[in-house]
Amino acid sequence: MSVSPHQFRIGLATSRTHQDAPNSVLARLLNGSRVAIEQHLQPQLIVVGRTLDAMDHLGLLKNYPHIERFPYGRHGGLMKLVSRVVDTDPTRRLDAVMYLMDPVDPSSIFPEAVALKRQCVIHGKPFLSTLAGAQEWLELESIATGAAPNPELDATFDLQHEGIAMIAHDAMKGRMLEIAERHFDLLDQFGFRCATGTTGSLLNKLAQKIKGEEAGRNWIKPYLSGPMGGDAQIAELILDRDQCRRVLFLEDPHVARQHEADIQLLERAARTVTDYALCISNENCGERWLDLLQKRVALRAV
């Protein structure tokens, strides 16, 4: 049995429609990742009330010892998760949040839900709002402990048949280029790459520097800029389950964004096809994700 050198503290909540059925998103996550949770990572789970009620009802992670109950959402459970994301006490501070969101549930746009995601971005922590995102994060962090890969997920790590979108706000475009250059060999394995306007142009220039002018000219497909509709174009690819499963979106949470609705549209698209798509929303998580993705891809090739 592999054991993580650091016991993660993970906040867990779900929309109501993702909770109660035996094949619910919550059940699919905890049953499909049970080995990663119980044997490899053994995280402390801080679970909002009704989500924990659903776990008990369905017998999910039965007898798992590392669970702390938070109040129901209407009694402040999500608000307390926000506080724990920013807590300075390492015995209370959350390392990641899994909030499996149904985009048609109005609670997904409550202030506490928006603040929970924003504080995760500010503090460089994973905010995992889709089934695919939570599954992949648990798989990759298990790999980091030395665990064997889950063969049921192998197909999603065949990068020649996978796509990635790369998006960065103005203040983050330089960081995106640094990350892309550092992980270029991995990103080059994807069968399809796309980006919004300026980010795509900059990444193609980087590819030309690395691969040569002709070979790198069309390394990534640029869509329109975000404010002009590029996010919506990429959202359509996600909704059609066509080419683009993963999104690396380096957000700048400190500036007013006139096209906030477009950003939310892209996230909403991923949550609509929750078992297919995932979004990584900050540079710290993006770096670790790509590092561990490289390890997982190498294991698949063995």
Side-chain angles (χ1 to χ4, degrees), residues 102-117:
D102 181 347
V104 302
D105 186 331
S107 67
S108 66
I109 57 172
F110 284 0
E112 55 266 43
V114 176
L116 186 58
K117 190 252 180 159

Side-chain angles (χ1 to χ4, degrees), residues 206-222:
L206 173 67
Q208 287 180 295
K209 183 180 78 170
I210 294 173
K211 293 173 68 78
E213 185 172 348
E214 288 301 318
R217 186 183 303 277
N218 299 308
W219 184 74
I220 195 165
K221 181 175 181 177

Side-chain angles (χ1 to χ4, degrees), residues 50-87:
R50 197 174 189 281
T51 298
L52 187 54
D53 289 348
M55 291 170 59
D56 292 340
H57 174 70
L58 296 171
L60 303 173
L61 299 184
K62 191 174 182 179
N63 299 320
Y64 183 70
H66 308 301
I67 293 178
E68 178 182 349
R69 184 186 186 93
F70 260 20
Y72 290 96
R74 65 180 179 273
H75 295 149
L78 283 180
M79 298 179 197
K80 290 189 68 174
L81 286 184
V82 180
S83 177
R84 292 295 181 92
V85 167
V86 305
D87 204 307

